[in-house]
Amino acid sequence: MTAELVRGQNHPLPHARLEIRVSAGKPVVAGVTLGDEEGRVPGAEWVAHPGRSGLPGIEVSRQATADHRLTVDLDSVPAAVHRVTVLLALPIGPAAPVRFGAVAAPFVAVAAPDGTEIVSYTVTGLDSESAVVALEFYRRQDAWKVRAVGQGYAGGLAALLGDQGVDRAGELAAAIQEAVAPGLARTVGTPPPRTTEVRRGAAAASNGTPGGDAGPGPGPGPGPAVGPGPGPGAAPEPLPTTPPPPAQTHDGPINYTHPGRQSAAPPPPPPAAPPAEPGRPPVPVAGDATGWSLEERLYNQVWGMFEDLARTVAAYRSAVDFAESRLDQELDRALSDPRNRIGGSGDAAREAARAKHDRLTEQAREVLDRDLAQLAAESDVVEPALPPAFARWDNPVWHAYRVPMEIPMALRLGDLHLPESPELRIPMLIRLPLERGLWVDSGRAASEAASMMDEGQLRRLAMDTAVTHAARLLAVYPAGEFTVHVIDPAGSAAASLAPLVHCGVLDEPPASGAQGVSTVLAKLTQRVDLVQMAVRGGASDALPPDLDTAEQLLIVNDFPHGFDDRAVTQLRYLADEGPAVGVHLMLVADREDASEYGPVLDPLWRSLLRVTPVPDDHLADPWVQHTWTYEPPRVPPGSQVLQQVLAQVAEARRTWRR
């Protein structure tokens, strides 16, 4: 039975080999420090972190993710080590929270090699802290115990490491943050909070749904998985099928309900379809998740499919890696045994090892194929039911399009898939309003598909992609609540911009030349300044009456052409400060064109979510950090759906202004 610890409580450990599971809701950095009897860490080399993930007996994640699996073998740590501390810290990045009080309380569990949870601890009482010591393992009379610590540090990771005696703690903290920055920049987004009833598939492992038996590997999915444990022949390793206990802060439980509906918990999913026949997976249903509306249920369901696919593929890859490792060990053992050098016993041992390897991989593939088939069946049901904001351009829902009265909760930016199942596409949904700007990469070095294209053709396709994204944003916002500005310094994007210009959805023609660049940037920079001052001073009614209060999107083509140093500085300012006050950036650029600026523009690129005009492997999920192939949105060839939608948007804007 799992012991649920409170701050300061300790518990004996029946095993030296342990797995620490962390669930934080938002991406966090996880690390481990090794200390002496006084708890002091001798130096930076005694800290396991994403930039240096392995120490004797310790293995930590290399990325900042919402879920972590850390391994600790207390019998393998150096004899001088008396305390092993598990620390968590918030990463520094675009749209990242700056304090633990703004996110769900982290949940930490310690499990045995067979997957049985020994203790769990919800780190409560955090507010302004951005780093926390969650747990510590310590020696007591030649035995190890675990203690729930929960000590937070408002000074962040540097203060935590400094408190443990690490020299030059600030430099080490900066190095850790730098190590996770690339992965954080390519992470698709933050998943919605999971509750017990969020998604039936996550709790239906016994019926063979995704996230169930993950095969012969240490599957990180939400359902049971067969894992290698400490060595060959270990028992199955079950993983948790339910979320951590409700998180709490120093002011009481966090309310996970919609801000406007905090009087009650979200309603359960709609009635399920008739039960499946025995031995067959359940029939998928669109909207099979919690939520206050069908849109919210579909959003949660899509993210649930995204997570299930990530975890079931992680389980498969882990199982294959285990089979390969076991094969290598058994082959080495067969070669090192002198008895196998005489006669045919050596060949027999090698054949037996390979047969066992093939059997394990086939079993893992069977489980993966079963889970993929269930997800594909669910996708076939969900895709036609998606509203316009979530739907592909070839979805019939666009033929019945009407300008909405409310802002949707999310927007589809394209599709994602993994190499194990390229035909299974997961909608890439990002929350609205946009928390980060977008960078449409027009560089030929971006991907293999891009390198095969002519440079001019690729730049045209990148701008076409930007226009498609902008058209969808205009289509999903109510009339008058979204405004698009365009900077095209050389006028080279006239053909791509034609749908926006001819339909009349732009308030002003695309700006060109140095003067046009300067005018638009000055206008939007002033808007950011005014709104920031009004918000900070609590005087929103003091804004100028002619100020456009709609969300603003600035599309910049062929950056940095036509930009001087002042314009570059203004653009960086809009990328950093704009999203918080409704000014968003969509940059169409080849990073090589801006190479003369060197590292000055690195923060700009990191602040934007990179998308591509051609398929490319560059995005990561927030759970296990798989590399996913991104497929940009495409309007079907010969279709007039984009022009028809924009025509309705333009007419609604004209009516709204009357």
Side-chain angles (χ1 to χ4, degrees):
M1 183 175 179
T2 304
E4 296 184 6
L5 303 183
V6 297
R7 180 176 296 177
Q9 187 177 358
N10 59 40
H11 193 278
L13 292 171
H15 304 278
R17 183 184 173 93
L18 305 166
E19 180 184 67
I20 296 97
R21 302 166 180 165
V22 179
S23 296
K26 295 277 188 178
V28 296
V29 180
V32 173
T33 62
L34 305 181
D36 57 19
E37 292 182 353
E38 302 298 325
R40 298 190 66 80
V41 179
E45 66 276 7
W46 291 71
V47 181
H49 56 81
R52 188 173 186 265
S53 60
L55 288 178
I58 308 293
E59 190 70 30
V60 303
S61 306
R62 293 182 177 273
Q63 301 289 347
T65 63
D67 297 315
H68 290 269
R69 297 291 186 269
L70 318 180
T71 57
V72 174
D73 187 350
L74 297 172
D75 286 342
S76 300
V77 300
V81 173
H82 287 261
R83 292 192 187 182
V84 178
T85 301
V86 178
L87 60 91
L88 305 175
L90 293 173
I92 299 173
V98 297
R99 59 188 185 92
F100 274 111
V103 301
F107 174 78
V108 186
V110 179
D114 64 356
T116 303
E117 284 191 4
I118 303 169
V119 301
S120 65
Y121 172 46
T122 303
V123 188
T124 60
L126 300 178
D127 186 11
S128 61
E129 298 88 347
S130 58
V132 62
V133 173
L135 298 173
E136 72 171 4
F137 304 96
Y138 62 97
R139 294 185 197 261
R140 179 63 56 88
Q141 297 178 351
D142 296 328
W144 286 92
K145 290 187 175 184
V146 60
R147 176 186 291 120
V149 181
Q151 175 63 53
Y153 293 83
L157 194 54
L160 186 155
L161 295 172
D163 192 42
Q164 295 194 2
V166 178
D167 291 333
R168 304 169 76 175
E171 294 181 11
L172 178 58
I176 294 173
Q177 294 288 1
E178 185 177 351
V180 301
L184 194 67
R186 69 191 187 99
T187 300
V188 170
T190 303
R194 297 276 252 173
T195 63
T196 308
E197 293 282 347
V198 161
R199 179 169 157 77
R200 288 194 182 96
S206 60
N207 292 329
T209 54
D213 291 336
V226 179
E237 179 181 2
L239 295 178
T241 58
T242 57
Q248 295 185 353
T249 66
H250 65 294
D251 293 322
I254 290 178
N255 193 337
Y256 289 107
T257 59
H258 188 284
R261 308 184 180 101
Q262 293 184 353
S263 60
E277 299 177 11
R280 300 185 63 109
V283 178
V285 178
D288 189 15
T290 58
W292 292 95
S293 64
L294 179 59
E295 178 194 56
E296 190 172 352
R297 295 198 298 270
L298 287 168
Y299 173 80
N300 287 334
Q301 186 172 13
V302 168
W303 268 93
M305 294 165 57
F306 187 15
E307 180 176 359
D308 284 346
L309 181 56
R311 293 190 184 281
T312 196
V313 169
Y316 168 72
R317 293 179 181 179
S318 182
V320 171
D321 289 344
F322 170 64
E324 295 285 351
S325 175
R326 187 169 184 170
L327 174 62
D328 292 340
Q329 293 175 8
E330 294 186 357
L331 290 178
D332 291 342
R333 193 179 303 120
L335 292 173
S336 62
D337 190 345
R339 294 172 297 180
N340 291 336
R341 299 172 187 170
I342 302 174
S345 57
D347 293 337
R350 287 190 288 272
E351 290 178 4
R354 292 191 178 94
K356 188 180 297 182
H357 166 270
D358 294 342
R359 191 164 57 252
L360 288 174
T361 54
E362 288 173 5
Q363 180 185 354
R365 187 70 211 192
E366 289 175 1
V367 173
L368 175 66
D369 289 342
R370 181 202 66 196
D371 289 353
L372 292 178
Q374 178 65 13
L375 279 170
E378 187 172 11
S379 178
D380 291 342
V381 172
V382 170
E383 192 70 50
L386 295 178
F390 300 177
R392 290 196 300 252
W393 285 107
D394 60 356
N395 192 312
V397 71
W398 287 106
H399 297 296
Y401 168 78
R402 294 293 181 271
V403 176
M405 301 297 292
E406 295 182 352
I407 301 172
M409 65 185 304
L411 181 86
R412 187 172 189 157
L413 275 187
D415 294 334
L416 299 168
H417 65 83
L418 290 171
E420 284 79 2
S421 183
E423 69 282 355
L424 178 56
R425 308 296 174 90
I426 302 295
M428 179 181 168
L429 303 182
I430 60 170
R431 291 299 297 263
L432 292 178
L434 296 173
E435 297 178 346
R436 301 168 62 183
L438 300 176
W439 165 29
V440 183
D441 192 350
S442 60
R444 294 186 64 203
S447 67
E448 182 178 352
S451 65
M452 304 294 291
M453 299 180 65
D454 174 77
E455 181 178 348
Q457 181 186 13
L458 184 61
R459 290 180 184 271
R460 166 70 184 270
L461 188 59
M463 196 60 196
D464 289 345
T465 303
V467 169
T468 303
H469 289 313
R472 183 182 289 264
L473 281 163
L474 284 164
V476 302
Y477 271 80
E481 295 193 23
F482 198 84
T483 302
V484 176
H485 308 265
V486 179
I487 291 179
D488 183 21
S492 58
S496 297
L497 292 169
L500 300 180
V501 175
H502 294 163
C503 289
V505 293
L506 299 180
D507 290 347
E508 300 172 348
S512 60
Q515 183 60 40
V517 171
S518 176
T519 301
V520 173
L521 290 177
K523 178 180 178 180
L524 292 177
T525 301
Q526 182 185 42
R527 183 190 186 280
V528 171
D529 291 339
L530 289 173
V531 175
Q532 281 186 337
M533 288 188 292
V535 171
R536 291 169 183 166
S540 57
D541 55 346
L543 289 170
D546 60 342
L547 183 76
D548 184 2
T549 58
E551 296 278 312
Q552 310 286 311
L553 175 69
L554 172 60
I555 304 175
V556 179
N557 180 45
D558 206 17
F559 175 80
H561 180 79
F563 280 70
D564 55 20
D565 290 344
R566 175 180 172 79
V568 169
T569 301
Q570 289 177 314
L571 196 71
R572 288 184 55 187
Y573 176 73
L574 292 177
D576 293 338
E577 304 294 334
V581 291
V583 177
H584 312 285
L585 180 63
M586 186 183 297
L587 198 64
V588 182
D590 178 358
R591 190 167 182 173
E592 292 298 320
D593 292 345
S595 59
E596 64 184 65
Y597 288 94
V600 172
L601 289 182
D602 285 351
L604 173 64
W605 306 119
R606 285 198 297 265
S607 70
L608 304 174
L609 177 62
R610 176 176 171 255
V611 294
T612 53
V614 292
D616 186 36
D617 306 331
H618 69 281
L619 293 173
D621 63 80
W623 302 283
V624 292
Q625 289 285 307
H626 285 319
T627 297
W628 294 70
T629 298
Y630 167 76
E631 295 271 357
R634 288 282 182 266
V635 178
S639 172
Q640 295 297 309
V641 63
L642 188 66
Q643 289 77 3
Q644 293 169 3
V645 168
L646 288 176
Q648 290 197 44
V649 171
E651 178 59 30
R653 289 167 64 87
R654 286 191 290 269
T655 302
W656 173 77
R657 287 196 177 100
R658 290 172 187 166

